């Protein structure tokens, strides 16, 4: 009689964010992964945890004038201005295609100029099939109203998050602005308002000036800084938030390799998002998910969630 075959099982990479089980903690970040379908032929979407759509608004938005993206040392500044096709077109044109992608877990990013706008977007998405969770963008630095204004005023943030939570039929993750004095306080406001999870960080308000023309290098004048340049600040903020709230934290800011994801998880994140790295390498999210599994295997981590909050600080 032959001995029973034992198949070496790899580390368990599943994590649970607000009741949504993800097969990996590595998620593609909003605004850097289109509506997901654009990446269907580039990566295996069933090897990443989930992807977040570009921010969806009530009406289509053309975004800001160009130039609206520049490279900086170890990062980039963008002021896209939330260009998007609008929630109705997303549901009619993109969602049916996304739903055909094997293993796609969709997080819809919601944006509005007013609380009523956000509520309308959520109402529209509530009736659409196949979306796992909403990420409420309370933190875009590139619009003159809404966006970051919500995320930097604790009364407005409470109002926005609680009213959106009340109408949301799916878990609601509130995306926090790093452009505040105390991100722990803002996370607590979001949690008190009923948020099921928080994600952070969005981009840091930034300015770059062309020294020859003395003009801003971004047409919008200011933009949002992302990429490796912001990572240590983002990791500190995730840790601060982990001490302030008990809801799950999704951390991001400058993740380009598996070890960066580990660092965010040790600081307190349950899952992570990868944004700017996809501009340098469209396969970055999948590669980081694969490498994170290998990292766990080589460090005797049986379950990736063991890493969450395990930093010795
Ligand atoms: C070009 C660009 C567009 C973005 N658009 C959105 C967006 O629509 N909604 C949103 O919540 N965040 C948006 N972000 C922010 C990212 O999702 C992420 O929070 C930020 O870039 C930090 O992560 P990273 O350093 O890995 O890029 C955008 C970022 C970039 C670079």
């Amino acid at each position: 009689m032959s001995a029973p075959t034992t198949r070496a099982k790899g580390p368990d990479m599943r994590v649970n964010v607000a009741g949504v089980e993800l097969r990996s903690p590595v998620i593609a970040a909003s605004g850097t992964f289109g509506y997901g379908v654009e990446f269907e032929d580039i990566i295996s979407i069933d090897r990443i945890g989930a992807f977040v759509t570009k921010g969806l608004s009530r009406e289509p938005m053309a975004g800001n004038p160009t130039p609206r993206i520049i490279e900086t040392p170890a990062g980039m500044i963008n002021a896209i201005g939330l260009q998007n096709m609008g929630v109705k077109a997303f549901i009619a044109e993109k969602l049916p295609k996304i739903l055909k992608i094997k293993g796609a877990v969709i997080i819809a990013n919601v944006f509005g100029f007013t609380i009523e706008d956000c509520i309308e977007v959520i109402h529209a998405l509530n009736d659409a099939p196949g979306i796992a969770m909403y990420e409420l963008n309370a933190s875009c630095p590139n619009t003159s109203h809404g966006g970051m204004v919500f995320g930097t005023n604790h009364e407005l943030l409470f109002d926005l998050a609680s009213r959106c939570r009340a109408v949301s039929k799916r878990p609601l993750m509130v995306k926090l602005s790093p452009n505040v004095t105390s991100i722990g306080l803002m996370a607590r406001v979001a949690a008190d308002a009923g948020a099921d999870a928080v994600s952070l960080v969005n981009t840091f308000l930034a300015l770059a000036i062309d020294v020859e023309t003395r003009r801003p290098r971004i047409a919008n004048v200011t933009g949002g800084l992302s990429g490796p340049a912001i990572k240590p600040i983002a990791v500190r903020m995730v840790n601060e938030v982990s001490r302030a709230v008990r809801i799950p934290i999704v951390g991001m800011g400058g993740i380009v390799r598996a070890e960066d994801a580990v660092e965010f998880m040790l600081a307190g994140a349950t899952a992570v998002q990868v944004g700017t790295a996809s501009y340098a390498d469209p396969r970055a999210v999948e590669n980081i998910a694969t490498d994170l599994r290998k990292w766990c295997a080589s460090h005797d981590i049986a379950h990736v969630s063991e890493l969450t909050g395990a930093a010795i600080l």
Side-chain angles (χ1 to χ4, degrees):
M1 203 166 69
S2 61
T5 49
T6 49
R7 196 161 55 88
K9 278 214 296 184
D12 186 346
M13 299 303 286
R14 289 171 300 174
V15 293
N16 189 302
V17 178
V20 177
E21 190 174 274
L22 307 177
R23 69 180 80 81
S24 161
V26 182
I27 301 168
S30 179
T32 61
F33 206 73
Y35 299 102
V37 277
E38 298 82 353
F39 282 75
E40 186 184 7
D41 297 329
I42 300 171
I43 72 164
S44 302
I45 289 187
D46 60 353
R47 298 221 177 114
I48 65 172
F51 68 83
V52 187
T53 66
K54 177 71 190 160
L56 300 167
S57 52
R58 197 167 57 101
E59 303 296 336
M61 285 173 61
N64 290 327
T66 56
R68 51 190 192 175
I69 286 189
I70 59 157
E71 207 173 324
T72 59
M76 65 191 262
I77 299 176
N78 93 82
I80 303 291
L82 291 157
Q83 176 182 4
N84 80 100
M85 66 196 307
V87 68
K88 290 193 193 85
F90 168 77
I91 292 168
E93 295 165 31
K94 297 287 181 185
L95 191 58
K97 291 181 189 150
I98 300 171
L99 293 176
K100 288 190 187 139
I101 304 174
K102 188 171 95 141
V105 177
I106 310 158
I107 300 176
N109 186 281
V110 173
F111 170 79
F113 291 113
T114 64
I115 296 178
E116 288 70 26
D117 283 350
C118 294
I119 288 174
E120 242 186 85
V121 175
I122 291 173
H123 271 309
L125 292 168
N126 277 342
D127 295 331
I131 296 166
M133 191 191 297
Y134 303 142
E135 179 177 63
L136 179 63
N137 180 2
S139 46
C140 179
N142 300 325
T143 52
S144 54
H145 51 305
M148 196 173 82
V149 180
F150 287 128
T152 54
N153 175 312
H154 64 92
E155 282 162 359
L156 272 180
L157 181 66
F158 185 86
D159 240 25
L160 173 75
S162 56
R163 290 181 60 198
C164 287
R165 178 56 275 175
V167 297
S168 174
K169 288 188 185 162
R170 296 185 169 112
L172 184 75
M173 175 158 76
V174 174
K175 187 164 180 181
L176 300 173
S177 172
N179 301 299
V180 294
T181 310
S182 170
I183 198 154
L185 173 72
M186 300 311 270
R188 207 166 328 131
V189 167
D192 288 349
D196 302 290
V198 283
S199 54
L200 63 138
V201 294
N202 209 316
T203 54
F204 286 79
L205 193 59
L207 170 65
I209 300 167
D210 182 320
V211 294
E212 301 305 328
T213 63
R214 304 188 179 193
R215 308 278 307 157
R217 294 181 59 203
I218 292 268
N220 187 55
V221 182
T222 57
L225 179 66
S226 61
I230 68 171
K231 197 191 78 177
I233 318 177
V235 171
R236 186 267 294 171
M237 289 184 157
V238 163
N239 188 245
E240 211 168 304
V241 167
S242 77
R243 293 162 194 269
V245 298
R246 295 195 171 278
I247 54 177
I249 300 165
V250 176
M252 78 200 89
I255 295 175
V256 296
R257 54 190 199 127
E259 285 83 349
D260 299 330
V262 173
E263 197 176 343
F264 272 91
M265 293 186 74
L266 291 174
T270 296
V272 297
Q273 293 184 17
V274 175
T276 299
S278 292
Y279 276 80
D281 175 6
R283 298 182 56 88
V285 192
E286 183 183 344
N287 290 342
I288 293 168
T290 305
D291 291 348
L292 180 60
R293 172 188 289 278
K294 288 184 194 153
W295 191 93
C296 288
S298 68
H299 288 72
D300 287 330
I301 304 289
H303 195 301
V304 70
S305 64
E306 289 168 35
L307 295 172
T308 298
I312 304 159
L313 301 175

